[in-house]
Amino acid sequence: HCQEKCLTVIRPTPIGRFFYLQYNKHMSQEERVILVDEENNEIGTALKSEVHTGNTPRHRAFSVFLFTKQGELLLQQRAKSKKTWPGVWSNSCCGHPAPTEETEAAAHRRIQQELGLKNIELYNMLPDYRYRAEMDGVVENEICPVFVGVTRKEINPNPDEIENVLWMPWPDFLKQIESGEAPYSPWAIEEAILLNKSEQFNQFLRNQTDSGA
């Protein structure tokens, strides 16, 4: 398991819940997601609480991979209360842009909501990534750009969203994926494989971290 092979697991904190409560002051209790067609044209909206079923319509989302200057990737274990992939380890942060919200702005919002982090410079490495996956009869069906950024280790995970977090060297994460036994969400695995093949991403690692990837 990750807990045994990786760095120390960090438990979410009450401070993380504080950021979540502050966030909720500015957002409707009934969040909506943006429904799109095959070409990513908006065709409507749906309640986030109702959209994920056995026949989930395609909608907009995003993923974020955050690294330290030392090249360690932040991983999170999704809260066990989540409807999709509860308790599963995944990448640093995921979410959905709200209607009228730009995807990068939504990524910044969600990073603050889940991790208590602000003012991170994000780079959109996989703007056209999309996937469909199923677990226990619940389907994810998303057009999901992938952002990367660099952060410090002092984070405040929100316990309503995150069960645990840990930091792992990027090469070790890739080795786990290559082993075929990686206990991660299917989108995190696919995104990591695509990132590793991207010269733009590897240039980012060389320029922004000390990993020398």
Side-chain angles (χ1 to χ4, degrees), residues 18-203:
F18 167 78
F19 282 107
Y20 178 70
L21 293 175
Q22 292 297 107
Y23 154 84
N24 270 345
K25 290 181 180 180
H26 302 285
M27 294 292 290
S28 168
Q29 290 183 345
E30 290 291 341
E31 289 186 64
R32 303 190 75 86
V33 301
I34 303 170
L35 306 181
V36 294
D37 62 17
E38 182 69 25
E39 286 73 42
N40 198 24
N41 298 307
E42 182 174 349
I43 59 174
T45 66
L47 289 173
K48 178 183 173 184
S49 60
E50 298 177 358
V51 74
H52 297 103
T53 65
N55 190 29
T56 303
R58 186 185 300 107
H59 55 280
R60 288 181 186 161
F62 58 83
S63 280
V64 181
F65 285 65
L66 296 177
F67 296 84
T68 63
K69 286 293 290 182
Q70 293 71 41
E72 296 171 306
L73 171 65
L74 173 61
L75 298 169
Q76 67 155 277
Q77 183 184 22
R78 294 165 60 83
K80 295 178 181 178
S81 60
K82 283 185 173 288
K83 184 175 182 179
T84 58
W85 276 262
V88 172
W89 284 90
S90 194
N91 53 291
S92 309
C93 180
C94 294
H96 305 84
T100 75
E101 185 180 33
E102 294 295 325
T103 303
E104 184 172 343
H108 283 288
R109 167 177 60 79
R110 190 68 173 172
I111 289 170
Q112 183 177 6
Q113 177 198 359
E114 290 196 358
L115 301 167
L117 295 171
K118 299 173 65 175
N119 303 319
I120 295 175
E121 187 171 4
L122 295 177
Y123 303 85
N124 190 348
M125 291 291 173
L126 301 174
D128 301 317
Y129 176 70
R130 61 182 66 196
Y131 75 98
R132 188 181 188 279
E134 180 177 350
M135 179 180 179
D136 298 331
V138 179
V139 171
E140 281 283 20
N141 184 12
E142 298 180 336
I143 292 181
C144 186
V146 180
F147 296 89
V148 301
V150 174
T151 185
R152 63 188 188 278
K153 277 195 172 182
E154 293 75 22
I155 62 176
N156 292 298
N158 172 11
D160 294 325
E161 298 285 342
I162 298 173
E163 198 74 22
N164 292 301
V165 300
L166 59 83
W167 300 90
M168 182 185 296
W170 177 246
D172 292 353
F173 180 63
L174 294 176
K175 287 178 183 177
Q176 280 201 345
I177 290 175
E178 291 169 1
S179 74
E181 300 178 355
Y184 305 116
S185 68
W187 62 87
I189 291 173
E190 286 189 358
E191 290 165 357
I193 292 171
L194 291 172
L195 285 173
N196 193 47
K197 294 178 180 178
S198 165
E199 176 54 34
Q200 182 184 14
F201 169 73
N202 285 294
Q203 186 69 38

